[in-house]
Amino acid sequence: MSFPAKPSTLEDYRQRMLRVLLHIQRNLDDDLALDELARVAAFSPFHFHRIFRGMLGESVREHVRRLRIERAAWQLKHSEASVTMVAFDAGYESHEAFTRAFKARCGMTPSEFRSCNGTGAHRQAVSLVPFRADGDLEDFPPTDSGGFAMDVKIKTLEPIHLAFVRHIGPYADCGSAWNRLCKHLGPLGLLGPNTRFVGVCYDDPEVTPSDKIRYDASAVVDESFQPAGAVGKQTIEGGDYAVTMHRGPYEKLHETYAALYGQWLPSSGRECSTAPSLEFYLNDPERTKPDDLLTEIHAPLKSK
């Protein structure tokens, strides 16, 4: 996948991400909270993780885990520390857990790795950002999935009024919120072929604990709508949004988000805002095959 980049914007995103990568590598033994890393990069904590995954091709957690394993490999080759001590340094509480993780990454056990003369030919994969003992870091090419071509348009959304039911928990379990919303709207004559259904997405499921994820199952209504019971009313303020179409199962929405935030955004000359993203569902999941589902993602942008 490739996008025509605005050089100054792309370079700015690269430099900001490099600051994060350096910070991670030089503080591998720390907690490395996402809010802290977002501050280092001068990105909004709300969208930082998606930008990171999209540009690096792995989550922050995966990146830290990989670098700790790679540091462990360096220690096995260049120090006399025991495998158990190397495992503790890598953040593993047991020799067995460390051995499993190390073998999954390097293709052999730590002891086998230590005795293989350090040729490196056995490595299963070349690291995107390899560990260096001096804590330094080379520049990196933002990841390019080589996949589908992403069509993104910047649209100005007028304020919209939404009737909604708040769901707290995994996105996959939001069906009951939709049922409550539709049971309320149906008798009011507000359900029909022209009803616009919208998901208001506040949290990234790869970051927020699944039982804390906030999501509003919503439908567009007019200003006169009166909330009642569990059904609330809110107004989404207008503004610029980056809009792209996700085709396929909802379970793969994160792939489109990663490409949008981590690949298109750095090349766009724009920055995302802290407003929630919106998902407009264009067909009925109960009557449509998962591969044919259409979801129009609206990612909020800061004003120019």
Side-chain angles (χ1 to χ4, degrees):
M1 181 186 304
S2 60
F3 305 105
K6 294 189 177 182
S8 59
T9 306
L10 180 57
E11 181 61 24
D12 176 62
Y13 271 66
R14 285 163 64 96
Q15 290 299 317
R16 291 157 76 178
M17 195 58 66
L18 275 170
R19 291 202 301 269
V20 174
L21 299 180
L22 279 169
H23 182 83
I24 290 172
Q25 186 153 316
R26 292 170 176 169
N27 298 276
L28 269 179
D29 294 322
D30 295 345
D31 184 42
L32 297 170
L34 282 174
D35 284 355
E36 173 193 353
L37 298 179
R39 285 195 298 272
V40 171
F43 283 123
S44 160
F46 191 79
H47 297 299
F48 167 71
H49 188 265
R50 282 173 172 157
I51 295 172
F52 187 99
R53 174 180 277 284
M55 293 189 73
L56 270 294
E58 59 189 352
S59 70
V60 172
R61 181 179 299 177
E62 291 166 344
H63 181 76
V64 170
R65 185 184 300 122
R66 176 172 62 76
L67 282 192
R68 285 174 176 168
I69 289 291
E70 292 187 358
R71 181 180 64 177
W74 188 93
Q75 291 171 324
L76 289 168
K77 282 300 178 185
H78 301 286
S79 78
E80 299 299 323
S82 68
V83 172
T84 299
M85 289 305 301
V86 171
F88 289 157
D89 284 346
Y92 291 86
E93 296 182 357
S94 71
H95 182 288
E96 293 76 13
F98 173 66
T99 296
R100 287 193 299 271
F102 191 94
K103 187 172 184 179
R105 175 68 190 164
C106 298
M108 58 178 64
T109 68
S111 297
E112 291 169 339
F113 184 94
R114 172 167 266 173
S115 63
C116 74
N117 298 322
T119 63
H122 57 279
R123 294 293 295 277
Q124 290 184 339
V126 177
S127 297
L128 181 64
V129 185
F131 174 79
R132 287 176 49 162
D134 60 7
D136 201 358
L137 190 68
E138 300 292 343
D139 196 3
F140 73 98
T143 187
D144 185 339
S145 70
F148 60 90
M150 174 171 279
D151 180 22
V152 182
K153 293 180 173 61
I154 296 177
K155 298 181 180 180
T156 300
L157 190 68
E158 296 297 325
I160 56 174
H161 305 290
L162 298 177
F164 73 97
V165 172
R166 171 64 56 91
H167 167 73
I168 303 291
Y171 283 126
D173 297 341
C174 67
S176 60
W178 283 107
N179 288 337
R180 294 175 76 177
L181 178 68
C182 291
K183 285 181 179 179
H184 182 82
L185 297 182
L188 299 176
L190 298 178
L191 290 183
N194 295 322
T195 303
R196 300 171 67 197
F197 294 102
V198 184
V200 183
C201 307
Y202 297 92
D203 300 302
D204 182 345
E206 294 192 65
V207 176
T208 304
S210 60
D211 62 338
K212 300 294 192 298
I213 291 173
R214 299 164 299 159
Y215 172 86
D216 292 339
S218 312
V220 178
V221 294
D222 61 34
E223 193 171 3
S224 64
F225 176 82
Q226 294 298 313
V231 179
K233 177 186 174 183
Q234 63 178 312
T235 300
I236 300 297
E237 299 300 329
D240 287 350
Y241 286 77
V243 181
T244 192
M245 187 71 72
H246 170 80
R247 293 175 171 82
Y250 299 142
E251 292 80 5
K252 293 188 176 182
L253 276 163
H254 68 278
E255 297 177 3
T256 302
Y257 274 109
L260 180 63
Y261 281 97
Q263 296 183 45
W264 176 84
L265 189 63
S267 305
S268 68
R270 302 295 296 268
E271 289 198 37
C272 51
S273 78
T274 57
S277 58
L278 307 176
E279 296 174 356
F280 287 79
Y281 307 110
L282 305 189
N283 43 19
D284 184 349
E286 294 186 0
R287 302 180 182 181
T288 307
K289 294 180 180 178
D291 287 344
D292 295 329
L293 290 170
L294 297 176
T295 306
E296 194 174 66
I297 295 174
H298 287 58
L301 301 173
K302 289 183 178 179
S303 300
K304 282 190 173 181

